[in-house]
């Protein structure tokens, strides 16, 4: 019998009360990269933000945003 896999998503956030989670996704992505900038790549504290945005955001968006960050054209406040 295979080990059970526990699936979780980001916890409810009062800043995003509607079912459309687009802004929630974008905010968690920004929070993750701000955390990395402040605490470094190895910070355990940043891992939760990574988990949140990866569970909320479509992979295509993440790829696009990563490219934009690398090119210096990301529209968000990092």
């Amino acid at each position: 019998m295979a080990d059970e896999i526990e699936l979780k998503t980001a916890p409810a956030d009062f800043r995003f009360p509607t079912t459309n989670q687009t802004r929630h996704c974008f905010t968690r992505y920004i929070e993750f990269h701000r955390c990395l900038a402040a605490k470094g790549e190895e910070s355990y504290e940043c891992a939760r933000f990574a988990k949140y945005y990866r569970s909320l955001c479509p992979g295509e968006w993440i790829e696009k945003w990563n490219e934009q960050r690398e090119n210096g054209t990301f529209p968000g406040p990092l």
Side-chain angles (χ1 to χ4, degrees):
M1 185 174 220
D3 292 334
E4 287 187 30
I5 298 174
E6 183 178 356
L7 300 177
K8 290 184 177 181
T9 190
D13 190 320
F14 71 91
R15 297 175 292 180
F16 311 102
T18 64
T19 56
N20 183 341
Q21 293 294 301
T22 303
R23 184 172 292 276
H24 191 180
C25 151
F26 188 68
T27 300
R28 294 299 190 173
Y29 181 84
I30 289 172
E31 287 174 337
F32 170 69
H33 289 286
R34 283 182 176 168
C35 183
L36 287 183
K39 300 182 187 275
E41 295 281 334
E42 302 299 319
S43 173
Y44 175 75
E45 296 173 46
C46 299
R48 66 184 174 125
F49 293 119
K51 185 169 71 173
Y52 296 164
Y53 88 77
R54 289 178 184 143
S55 71
L56 292 165
C57 302
E60 298 84 25
W61 295 5
I62 295 169
E63 289 174 18
K64 181 179 178 183
W65 293 338
N66 287 341
E67 287 177 19
Q68 290 174 333
R69 280 188 317 100
E70 291 171 9
N71 296 329
T73 59
F74 183 72
L78 296 175

